[in-house]
Amino acid sequence: MKGDRIYGTSAGQVVTLVSRKARTVQGYAKVDNGGDGEDAFRMRGTAGNRKFAVRYYEGKKQITAGILTGRHESSEMAPGEEGTLIRVQVKPSVKEFKKVKRKRNGKKVIQWRRGKINLTVRATSLLESSKEDRGILGVKVK
């Protein structure tokens, strides 16, 4: 995601990825401690749907369940420390986006439907629950 030093809003923190032919894409959300003291953050993210499978990772460890329930916590970070990097993997459903047509001559023609999903990744301070930041990862299928 982008938007260093932008807090409390998703404005300026939106990234859109394009999936051609329903291929898997991935983006990253990074949580930094912009506060005055040591802090850790509770993270929450948007679930997928029948058209888009969404998984969240920290390193190689899948943390999807914790992110979806809002129970995943970062490690403690010192002020100004760059911390947790969350990888968001989005796999569009080929079944939902691929359309096969037959021409009169019997040949198959493949067409790709368009679609989009917006995923919000949110981080809330454990010390001050009113302090929150979020970013949006959009995925378009073309």
Side-chain angles (χ1 to χ4, degrees):
M1 306 290 248
K2 61 182 185 175
D4 193 26
R5 301 282 179 222
I6 300 174
Y7 302 108
T9 179
S10 56
Q13 299 187 94
V14 178
V15 174
T16 302
L17 303 173
V18 176
S19 169
R20 303 240 184 249
K21 299 182 181 179
R23 290 193 176 106
T24 300
V25 294
Q26 57 189 13
Y28 294 87
K30 183 174 66 169
V31 179
D32 298 337
N33 183 359
D36 297 326
E38 280 198 12
D39 202 354
F41 299 86
R42 182 169 287 127
M43 289 171 274
R44 184 176 192 96
T46 308
N49 56 36
R50 68 181 172 82
K51 293 184 178 183
F52 295 91
V54 178
R55 291 195 176 119
Y56 295 88
Y57 295 88
E58 187 172 12
K60 292 184 179 185
K61 182 181 178 186
Q62 183 175 213
I63 57 170
T64 304
I67 292 285
L68 296 181
T69 60
R71 293 187 176 146
H72 182 76
E73 294 181 3
S74 72
S75 56
E76 281 214 355
M77 293 178 266
E81 183 179 347
E82 292 186 4
T84 307
L85 186 67
I86 304 293
R87 179 168 48 103
V88 185
Q89 184 182 68
V90 182
K91 182 173 178 31
S93 168
V94 173
K95 181 180 174 183
E96 292 290 332
F97 292 103
K98 185 176 180 179
K99 184 177 179 181
V100 179
K101 287 187 168 184
R102 289 194 183 272
K103 289 189 170 187
R104 289 186 183 191
N105 62 8
K107 288 187 178 181
K108 291 181 185 178
V109 175
I110 297 174
Q111 294 179 330
W112 294 94
R113 296 181 180 107
R114 295 175 183 255
K116 183 175 180 178
I117 190 171
N118 285 324
L119 306 167
T120 301
V121 178
R122 184 173 315 223
T124 304
S125 166
L126 291 180
L127 291 179
E128 294 183 61
S129 60
S130 64
K131 303 283 184 177
E132 176 183 280
D133 198 15
R134 62 189 167 274
I136 296 174
L137 175 67
V139 177
K140 291 181 180 181
V141 176
K142 290 186 174 184

